[in-house]
Structures are given as C-alpha cells and as structure tokens.
Amino acid sequence: TGKEAGDFRSTYQEGANRQRYFEQMMNRYFGTITVKTLEFSDLSEYNKPVLIKAEFTTPNFARIDGPKISFNPSVFSLDLADKYASLEKREYDIVLDSYPIAYPKKSIHSMTFNIPAGYELSKLPEESRFQSDFGEYKLVTDRGAPTKFTVKTEFIVNLLRINNKQYPAFRTFCADVDRMEKEDAVIEKP
C-alpha cells in the first residue's frame, strides 16, 4: 500500500512486460531467477493493496555446509540501518519518501519455501514483533506441512519525517528491525 503501490501499478500495468520487470526486480535480491508462475491482483482497483504471487527458482539462494543448508528467509531485507541510520548524529531531518520506506507504507511479504526431498527443517527464525512510534515490524513463521514452511513479514511506517531529536530512537528502531531480519532458516539431512 502507499506510494510504493502506485509505483507497482505503473510498472506492472496491463500490457507491460510483467515477467521481465519482475525478473529484473528479483534479480537484485537473488542473482538470477527462473519464473514458473506470476500473478497480480487487479491493478485497476486503486483502493486495494497490490498483490503479487510468484513461484520461481534461483540457484544462488542458500549456503551449503555438509548436510546442512542455511538461508535467510527474510528475502526482502530492509537494511534500514545502512540506508537511514548509519550516522551517529544527524543535523537535518530524514524524509522517508523513497524505497524501502516510502511513507505511508504497509508492506507484507509472505514467502513459502519447499524443502527438497531427503531434507527436514531443523531451524526457523524466532517469531518477532516490534513496535515503536516510528512503526511496526512482525516476522511470523508457519511450519505447515513437513515439506514446506512459510515466513511472513509485515512492516508499517507511521511517520514521514524524522527530526534530529528523534534520530537516536529511530536509529535503534532500524537496528532492531535489521537484527530480526538476519536470522537464518536451516534444513538438513536427517
């Protein structure tokens, strides 16, 4: 929802080369992907959130260490501290008007991971919820069937402008969100 939804509507409008644009966007996160299916909500419904449902494969997603495979299931990491809070102090305000925080924003990502045959899930990130005056972040997991699991993240921004007095607390907020997104999932051969 918010400003980002308008950008998605424009990029993925009917008649556009949706799959090519989607692959370009996802290649920033994964290197190279191969799209199996790609579906969009009705992008002409301006009062509804933009929904994208995709199934794809990528060869460079996980780290293999003997019988274990680990990866970060928070695929769309925000990296807030690097982008907005790398300075110890600020003299001027931060205006949250560009990706990944384009106020107002509510972003929900739900990723389902299929576990390869011969492996089982041994570790999921801890479920996390964090709320402050700046926004909210949630990470929820669902083990579902033995052959797959789902990780859902929700990120909400409440403010457009962060002044220099708010900055220390905002910097902590960014670091807390980033820390929650860094936990790996692990699958391994029994």
Side-chain angles (χ1 to χ4, degrees):
T1 62
K3 179 185 179 300
E4 200 172 72
D7 295 341
F8 272 96
R9 287 180 206 288
S10 175
T11 300
Y12 295 107
Q13 64 186 311
E14 198 64 44
N17 192 338
R18 291 176 168 183
Q19 183 166 327
R20 183 172 60 98
Y21 292 140
F22 180 78
E23 286 173 348
Q24 288 173 347
M25 178 182 70
M26 299 308 281
N27 286 344
R28 291 189 307 231
Y29 297 99
F30 298 107
T32 303
I33 69 164
T34 302
V35 175
K36 292 182 176 183
T37 63
L38 182 61
E39 300 172 24
F40 292 84
S41 59
D42 183 351
L43 299 181
S44 66
E45 294 276 346
Y46 293 104
N47 293 323
K48 293 186 179 178
V50 172
L51 300 174
I52 301 173
K53 183 177 180 181
E55 182 179 350
F56 59 90
T57 59
T58 180
N60 303 314
F61 181 61
R63 294 170 306 285
I64 300 172
D65 183 22
K68 293 183 180 183
I69 299 175
S70 59
F71 57 93
N72 185 336
S74 295
V75 174
F76 303 103
S77 295
L78 295 165
D79 297 320
L80 297 178
D82 284 345
K83 292 179 177 112
Y84 297 104
S86 60
L87 300 175
E88 199 164 313
K89 289 182 169 183
R90 285 201 63 93
E91 188 174 331
Y92 302 104
D93 293 358
I94 299 173
V95 179
L96 304 174
D97 64 350
S98 63
Y99 185 83
I101 303 179
Y103 174 86
K105 179 175 184 135
K106 179 177 183 180
S107 181
I108 300 171
H109 294 117
S110 181
M111 301 287 289
T112 299
F113 299 90
N114 294 315
I115 299 171
Y119 285 84
E120 59 186 36
L121 181 62
S122 60
K123 179 183 177 277
L124 272 177
E126 297 247 351
E127 291 196 358
S128 307
R129 297 182 198 299
F130 179 76
Q131 189 168 1
S132 80
D133 293 339
F134 305 108
E136 182 178 348
Y137 181 84
K138 289 192 276 189
L139 185 147
V140 179
T141 60
D142 180 9
R143 286 187 177 247
T147 58
K148 64 183 176 180
F149 66 94
T150 300
V151 174
K152 181 177 177 181
T153 60
E154 183 174 331
F155 180 63
I156 300 169
V157 176
N158 297 330
L159 299 175
L160 170 62
R161 184 177 296 270
I162 308 298
N163 66 43
N164 60 355
K165 290 180 180 79
Q166 295 170 307
Y167 181 71
F170 179 69
R171 192 170 188 228
T172 300
F173 170 76
C174 291
D176 288 342
V177 170
D178 288 350
R179 187 181 64 257
M180 288 181 232
E181 289 193 319
K182 299 286 187 237
E183 273 195 74
D184 279 349
V186 178
I187 60 174
E188 60 186 304
K189 292 183 178 180

